[in-house]
Amino acid sequence: MTAPLPVPYDPELVAGLDAFVGMVEIIPLRADTILANRGHFATIIPPMAVQAEGRAITWEDRVIPGPAGAPDIEITIVRPSRPASAPAPAVLSIHGGGMVLGTRFFGTAELIDLAERHGVVGVAVEYRLAPEHPGPAQAEDCYAALEWMAAHADELGIDPDRIIASGMSAGGGLSAAVALLARDRGGPRLAGQLLGCPMLDDRNDTPSSRQYDGFGAWDRNNNDTAWDAIAGDDRFSDRVSPYTAPARAQDLTGLAPAFIEVGAAETFRDEAVDYALRIWTTGGQAELHVWAGGYHGFAGFSPEAEVSRAAVAARESWLRRTLRLDG
C-alpha cells in the first residue's frame, strides 16, 4: 500500500522539529538500541536540583508502595513555596518516552510551572519500563501512585476532588489507562485526564501512522519498536489489555473529563481523534484540539510559534476550568 501524503508542517515549527530530532532522536529507536537511547535520555533530562534552582517551589523524593506483589515506586513531590490557605489542586505527572525511555524528571518542568503560578501540588511517578516490564506494569505503577495521592491527601495538602492525571505521548496514553483503572476499580475519582499527543493503540495502523513512516518526531518505526517491547507476543491480539493500550477498551463510559491535544502532522493524530469520538458517543466529556501543522510535542520545542502559543493557551484554559484554578 502506498503511504498517504503527509500533512505539511507549519513553517514556524520546522526549526523546532529539526532541533527535536537532532537532540532526542539521534539514535534510531530499535529493539537493540533501547538501552543506548535510555543512556542518551539521561544526558538531556536535567536533574531535579537544576530544574528547581531559583524557582518558588519545594520538592522531595519519596518511595511509596507499588502495586500488590510489585516493587516500591519512586516519586517526586513538587509544592509551591508559599503556604496554602486551603487544600490545593494536584497533578499526577506521567512522563513520556514510549514506555521504554525516560524518567519522572522528563515531566517535572510542568509541575514546577503549575506550582509557581497556580499553587498546584504535583507528583511525578517513576514507573517501570518495557521490555523488562511488559504492559500493563506501567499503568499499574501510575495507578498505585494515584491511590497513594488520594490516601495521603491531608498530608500532601491537596483536595482529593481536584486531582488530574497528566502526560504527553506515552504519558498521555498512561493517563488514559489510569482513568480507565480508576473507573473500573472504583478508585480515586479523577477531576480530569490530560492526554497530550497520546500513545493509545498498539496496532499502529492508522493513516496518520503511515503518513509519518521514516521521518518526523516519533515516527511509525519508533512506535513499532516501543509497542513490540510493551506488548510482546500479545501485540495485535485481543490479549492486549486496555490498561496497556487504552484504544483497546470496549467501553469508554463514565470516564473522567478528557483534554486531548495532538498535532495534525504526527503519528498519533488519528488514534487521538478516534478516542475523543468514542468518548463523545458514550455521552462523556472530551475536549479535542488538533493543531494544524503540528509535529509530535511541537509546543515544547517550538514555543514561540503562533500555533504553540495557541496550544498552550487552550491547555491552560482547560486546567483552570477543571482544577478550578485562580488567575
Side-chain angles (χ1 to χ4, degrees), residues 36-278:
N37 272 279
R38 285 182 193 168
H40 174 62
F41 260 58
T43 70
I44 63 174
I45 302 173
M48 191 63 190
V50 172
Q51 294 187 38
E53 186 175 3
R55 307 296 294 270
I57 60 107
T58 64
W59 63 278
E60 62 171 311
D61 294 328
R62 292 258 194 111
V63 177
I64 63 171
D72 290 342
I73 299 168
E74 293 181 293
I75 62 169
T76 295
I77 305 167
V78 179
R79 297 183 177 94
S81 296
R82 62 184 184 276
S85 58
V91 173
L92 172 64
S93 173
I94 306 175
H95 72 81
M99 292 183 254
V100 298
L101 308 174
T103 72
R104 66 190 184 277
F105 304 115
F106 202 28
T108 42
E110 178 191 23
L111 296 184
I112 292 170
D113 180 63
L114 289 171
E116 277 192 326
R117 293 192 299 115
H118 296 300
V120 171
V121 173
V123 172
V125 55
E126 194 71 52
Y127 58 83
R128 289 169 287 172
L129 298 176
E132 297 90 338
H133 305 281
Q138 298 74 32
E140 292 286 359
D141 286 352
C142 296
Y143 181 69
L146 173 64
E147 288 191 308
W148 182 88
M149 288 175 69
H152 292 78
D154 289 344
E155 174 195 348
L156 293 169
I158 64 175
D159 180 348
D161 293 325
R162 289 195 291 163
I163 301 174
I164 68 166
S166 174
M168 303 292 289
S169 194
L174 288 169
S175 295
V178 166
L180 288 166
L181 282 163
R183 179 201 64 182
D184 294 347
R185 296 180 182 175
R189 184 180 177 86
L190 284 171
Q193 49 178 320
L194 195 161
L195 315 184
C197 47
M199 181 179 178
L200 297 166
D201 196 337
D202 66 287
R203 291 162 289 198
N204 197 27
D205 62 358
T206 62
S208 61
S209 74
R210 292 190 291 274
Q211 284 176 300
Y212 300 94
D213 185 344
F215 66 96
W218 195 262
D219 77 332
R220 179 182 177 85
N221 298 294
N222 288 1
N223 206 35
D224 267 329
T225 298
W227 279 118
D228 284 346
I230 298 158
D233 291 341
D234 288 345
R235 191 177 174 206
F236 304 112
S237 78
D238 291 340
R239 296 188 302 276
V240 176
S241 166
Y243 310 136
T244 298
R248 294 284 189 168
Q250 297 298 307
D251 178 11
L252 297 185
T253 60
L255 293 174
F259 178 89
I260 302 173
E261 59 178 356
V262 70
E266 70 155 297
T267 302
F268 293 143
R269 181 195 66 220
D270 295 343
E271 60 198 69
V273 170
D274 183 67
Y275 204 71
L277 287 169
R278 292 178 58 208

